[in-house]
Amino acid sequence: MILNLDPNFRPFNGQKEIEFKSFTFSGGEPHIKINPDFDVKEEITITHRLNSFNDLGLLCLTVDALRRMDVKIINLFIPYFPAARQDRVMIKGEPLSVKVYADIINAMQLEKVFVFDAHSEVTPALVNNCEMIPNHTFIQTVIKSIGNDVKLISPDGGALKKIYKVSEFLGGVEVVECSKSRDVKTGRLSGFKVYEDDLQGKDCLIVDDICDGGGTFVGLAEELKNKNAGKLYLAVSHGIFNKGFEVLDCFEKIFTTNSFRDFEDKRVEVVDLKELI
């Protein structure tokens, strides 16, 4: 059985949903009331998009309510793991944010925690009973939509291991390695490099897990064009796009999923996660 805490996010088809009512008290505290009309002996999977601490709070309350109803087996599907990018302390005074979220989720003693395309291997290392869902089928769907042969572009060293696994899954699509520099104090990006002298007009698909402001991809797009790239495409598993899509006009098309939020913009093609899992 499924308990979809976000009513607009239903990643699993064909399973009975548990009814509930959730709301926020005037003081800001989330609350939930779960309809008890279901078999508590069944395995329950909670789905949610954790985009705030209030979302995490609602999840904690939901698990507590289910436990008090004597539900024994509870799974969790959170496609975008919050703070996964903060997976190391770069300068003194910063938190290890991903561990804070992981510790809270671990305290709920869940049977399994499913995450879609986590930022790095730190997340599954910190989260108990974590099962990763790779981005392979997503990228396969993207390439079918593009309809052309493309080179897979790895934006930086951190993405290399995952993108080569994607390439293997797709039967050996060519990978082009790239890099950039980041000032850890300011976050400023510079020094974009493409490690191929001439792309010979081939279309290129940049593949990454997250697009927040998009600075990495805009800087890389300029350098790809300098290396004679053809059409440029961008595929990110988790689309945040806090600066909108105008900054990404250098791309022929942008692809993402509904893991973080829903989109209604002709410049982005959204692949529903229920088509991928």
Side-chain angles (χ1 to χ4, degrees), residues 157-276:
L160 266 180
K161 187 174 181 180
K162 286 198 292 185
I163 205 166
Y164 274 115
K165 288 183 178 179
V166 171
S167 174
E168 182 181 0
F169 176 81
L170 296 173
V173 177
E174 184 179 354
V175 173
V176 176
E177 299 181 15
C178 304
S179 66
K180 65 179 186 289
S181 299
R182 183 189 297 272
D183 187 318
V184 297
K185 291 184 178 180
T186 65
R188 186 168 178 248
L189 300 171
S190 62
F192 293 96
K193 294 181 180 179
V194 176
Y195 295 103
E196 189 163 324
D197 292 334
D198 187 358
L199 295 169
Q200 300 179 339
K202 287 277 290 185
D203 294 345
C204 296
L205 172 64
I206 300 176
V207 177
D208 211 352
D209 59 313
I210 299 170
C211 180
D212 193 340
T216 291
F217 309 117
V218 172
L220 188 55
E222 183 177 353
E223 191 60 23
L224 287 168
K225 282 297 186 181
N226 290 339
K227 294 296 182 75
N228 196 26
K231 294 178 181 178
L232 300 181
Y233 300 89
L234 174 64
V236 289
S237 298
H238 312 293
I240 299 174
F241 305 117
N242 74 66
K243 292 185 179 180
F245 296 105
E246 292 82 2
V247 297
L248 298 167
D249 282 346
C250 49
F251 292 99
E252 190 78 11
K253 197 160 204 178
I254 302 165
F255 299 85
T256 191
T257 74
N258 59 335
S259 66
F260 186 79
R261 62 185 177 95
D262 300 309
F263 297 95
E264 293 183 4
D265 194 297
K266 63 182 181 181
R267 287 167 290 189
V268 60
E269 183 171 320
V270 180
V271 180
D272 198 310
L273 279 173
K274 65 186 176 186
E275 299 175 18
L276 305 176

Side-chain angles (χ1 to χ4, degrees), residues 1-236:
M1 298 184 70
I2 302 294
L3 202 165
N4 294 312
L5 288 177
D6 182 338
N8 297 317
F9 182 63
R10 290 180 164 86
F12 300 106
N13 286 322
Q15 296 192 48
K16 183 178 179 181
E17 294 188 23
I18 297 173
E19 296 180 356
F20 69 93
K21 292 181 180 180
S22 65
F23 55 92
T24 303
F25 286 113
S26 55
E29 306 94 338
H31 190 65
I32 190 167
K33 292 183 179 180
I34 300 172
N35 188 331
D37 187 22
F38 66 93
D39 186 355
V40 297
K41 294 180 181 179
E42 288 198 36
E43 183 173 326
I44 307 299
T45 297
I46 302 169
T47 74
H48 204 17
R49 296 186 284 195
L50 301 185
N51 297 341
S52 70
F53 253 105
N54 252 26
D55 292 335
L56 180 62
L58 180 61
L59 170 62
C60 293
L61 296 175
T62 301
V63 172
D64 182 77
L66 290 173
R67 296 287 188 209
R68 294 177 186 279
M69 299 169 79
D70 207 28
V71 175
K72 302 299 184 186
I73 302 177
I74 304 174
N75 303 316
L76 172 64
F77 177 55
I78 42 173
Y80 170 79
F81 196 91
R85 289 173 288 175
Q86 192 71 32
D87 58 4
R88 51 184 169 162
V89 177
M90 301 295 293
I91 57 175
K92 189 175 181 180
E94 289 184 340
L96 186 56
S97 304
V98 67
K99 189 174 186 301
V100 174
Y101 280 91
D103 287 347
I104 294 171
I105 289 172
N106 288 342
M108 291 185 262
Q109 298 182 322
L110 301 166
E111 189 77 10
K112 292 180 181 178
V113 178
F114 299 95
V115 177
F116 175 62
D117 195 16
H119 181 66
S120 71
E121 294 178 346
V122 175
T123 297
L126 291 174
V127 178
N128 296 340
N129 308 317
C130 186
E131 293 197 13
M132 302 300 302
I133 300 172
N135 65 341
H136 302 171
T137 306
F138 169 51
I139 301 304
Q140 183 181 56
T141 302
V142 168
I143 291 177
K144 285 181 180 178
S145 178
I146 293 172
N148 305 325
D149 291 333
V150 295
K151 291 177 181 282
L152 295 179
I153 309 299
S154 174
D156 51 40
L160 266 180
K161 187 174 181 180
K162 286 198 292 185
I163 205 166
Y164 274 115
K165 288 183 178 179
V166 171
S167 174
E168 182 181 0
F169 176 81
L170 296 173
V173 177
E174 184 179 354
V175 173
V176 176
E177 299 181 15
C178 304
S179 66
K180 65 179 186 289
S181 299
R182 183 189 297 272
D183 187 318
V184 297
K185 291 184 178 180
T186 65
R188 186 168 178 248
L189 300 171
S190 62
F192 293 96
K193 294 181 180 179
V194 176
Y195 295 103
E196 189 163 324
D197 292 334
D198 187 358
L199 295 169
Q200 300 179 339
K202 287 277 290 185
D203 294 345
C204 296
L205 172 64
I206 300 176
V207 177
D208 211 352
D209 59 313
I210 299 170
C211 180
D212 193 340
T216 291
F217 309 117
V218 172
L220 188 55
E222 183 177 353
E223 191 60 23
L224 287 168
K225 282 297 186 181
N226 290 339
K227 294 296 182 75
N228 196 26
K231 294 178 181 178
L232 300 181
Y233 300 89
L234 174 64
V236 289

